[in-house]
Amino acid sequence: GDVDVRTDEGYYNSGKQAIFFDATGDIIRTPVTPAPISCISFWVRPTNMEPESYEFSLVGIQVKHPDGEWERIANVPNYWMEEKGGYYELAGDVVGEQIYQVEILCETSYKVDFAIDDIRIYVQKPPVVPMQASTYGCPSGTADCITASRRVA
């Protein structure tokens, strides 16, 4: 759109600016994460809550599957939003499995624009690989051998 950020009070949450969606197709794409995403949350405020603006104004959330295909997992129309802004969270089964990248986009902007702030991506903890003490590489029964640790596959 024409405006990338909003800095006027009320249109940001924790910082002094928010990303501003003022045209259909405006998009935020996360970087690829090092582990699968378990939850995404963000703050959003619509610029208008008038009833006639409800029909075609919404923010979409989509995820990228390992095969490269994007899938829409949610649409948030402005009439579901809080007038002064609020947090929205998608977690667990909604996000899906083996998801490493997410997009938040302005699906349609009829009479409403959106300020987006405080995007948080939570990733799954990588599995802990147990370490095994051994005398790997040392002659068996040698008193001066240093015990080493190695990864067990």
Side-chain angles (χ1 to χ4, degrees), residues 35-105:
I37 295 170
S38 59
C39 178
I40 178 170
S41 68
F42 58 95
W43 181 92
V44 61
R45 179 179 177 173
T47 58
N48 186 349
M49 293 296 287
E50 298 299 320
E52 67 271 5
S53 65
Y54 290 171
E55 190 173 349
F56 295 108
S57 302
L58 55 92
V59 171
I61 298 93
Q62 53 189 34
V63 296
K64 187 175 184 181
H65 289 280
D67 65 3
E69 293 294 318
W70 288 94
E71 176 189 9
R72 180 66 44 88
I73 60 170
N75 287 319
V76 185
N78 74 308
Y79 58 87
W80 287 359
M81 297 178 186
E82 295 179 35
E83 186 173 2
K84 301 231 183 250
Y87 278 98
Y88 296 86
E89 180 178 283
L90 301 160
D93 293 342
V94 176
V95 174
E97 295 183 11
Q98 298 301 310
I99 301 300
Y100 293 84
Q101 195 170 27
V102 175
E103 290 180 341
I104 301 171
L105 62 141

Side-chain angles (χ1 to χ4, degrees), residues 3-22:
V3 179
D4 293 331
V5 296
R6 289 283 298 254
T7 57
D8 43 327
E9 194 168 327
Y11 285 95
Y12 55 81
N13 190 50
S14 67
K16 296 290 185 186
Q17 65 181 10
I19 297 170
F20 194 61
F21 285 174
D22 64 343

